[in-house]
Amino acid sequence: MTFLRARRPEHKQQRREAILDAARELAMASGVRNVSLGAVAEAVGLAKSNIVRYFGTREEIYLQLATEEWREWAEAVRERLRHTSGTADVVTVLAETLTERPLFCDLLSHTATSLEHNVSVEAAHTFKRTVIGTVGGLASEVAGVTDLTDTEAGELVMGAAGLGGLLYPAANPSPTLAEVYARDPELAATCPQMVPTLVRMLSALAAGLPTLR
């Protein structure tokens, strides 16, 4: 695919979406950490110098995708919460909706260590505002169907995202580790499974938060 220079606002928006789509597909195929700016440029049919007209860095592309993933995860949680009540069910909803979104989990695992670095202040500000607003909205809804306060519910939501990002790479080992596990069943038994591990950890968090009031 080869693009002419985008001049009109709608064409620029189309170009941004094409870049994000290419970056998303590459990350889904090989993981966020393995995608370079050059690979995104090649996939979308642009020179790297043209890519940076829309996103200053590779990290800004993926931070924007993380922003979108936060919003989409929140909507998935809200939809499930409409048919849910009680802390145990909410914990399951948080764990399952995260596990169903591997790209989001992958992005979460890289957010603090790389995606919030080498980005503009504006990009970082937009991302943080989105996360805070999303967590606040979900917290209110979680509190409404549990015995948690809004603050505690917000901590549970943030805990779910944080633990999801931490567990994802461990639950989806590299080819080298997969070979190690294949050779050593004792080590394989230590590889966590996303949903049951998240449910157990979040259940402990949800039970413990009210004791700290």
Side-chain angles (χ1 to χ4, degrees):
M1 182 185 298
T2 302
F3 288 101
L4 298 175
R5 184 173 182 180
R7 298 181 184 278
R8 300 175 62 178
E10 60 267 31
H11 294 161
K12 292 179 179 179
Q13 183 59 34
Q14 290 171 2
R15 185 70 53 82
R16 284 178 58 89
E17 292 301 324
I19 292 168
L20 291 171
D21 287 345
R24 182 183 293 106
E25 291 179 10
L26 289 168
M28 290 292 291
S30 60
V32 172
R33 69 185 297 272
N34 296 313
V35 183
S36 67
L37 186 62
V40 176
E42 181 178 358
V44 82
L46 290 171
K48 286 197 292 185
S49 59
N50 287 332
I51 292 283
V52 298
R53 292 178 180 175
Y54 301 91
F55 299 94
T57 62
R58 166 196 174 277
E59 288 76 17
E60 284 194 16
I61 296 173
Y62 282 106
L63 202 63
Q64 177 60 38
L65 285 177
T67 299
E68 295 179 4
E69 286 288 327
W70 267 99
R71 290 173 178 146
E72 291 173 11
W73 176 57
E75 186 53 40
V77 173
R78 287 191 187 96
E79 178 60 30
R80 292 276 297 273
L81 289 181
R82 294 189 183 102
H83 314 286
T84 299
S85 64
T87 302
D89 286 345
V90 169
V91 163
T92 299
V93 166
L94 293 172
E96 290 181 348
T97 52
L98 276 169
T99 304
E100 290 162 3
R101 309 193 69 82
L103 177 59
F104 185 39
C105 290
D106 195 9
L107 289 164
L108 287 171
S109 73
H110 292 285
T111 297
T113 57
S114 65
L115 300 186
E116 291 179 341
H117 302 262
N118 195 31
V119 297
S120 68
V121 171
E122 180 181 359
H125 182 265
T126 298
F127 174 71
K128 285 297 187 183
R129 277 293 179 188
T130 297
V131 172
I132 290 171
T134 300
V135 171
L138 282 181
S140 179
E141 298 191 40
V142 168
V145 295
T146 66
D147 294 327
L148 299 174
T149 66
D150 281 4
T151 298
E152 292 163 353
E155 291 173 321
L156 182 64
V157 171
M158 282 301 295
L163 288 169
L166 179 66
L167 283 171
Y168 178 78
N172 295 272
S174 67
T176 299
L177 272 181
E179 178 65 23
V180 169
Y181 293 150
R183 295 182 182 185
D184 191 330
E186 185 177 356
L187 287 178
T190 67
C191 181
Q193 296 182 336
M194 279 285 289
V195 171
T197 305
L198 266 176
V199 166
R200 183 174 175 82
M201 290 181 169
L202 293 177
S203 296
L205 178 59
L209 284 169
T211 69
L212 301 176
R213 291 175 186 169

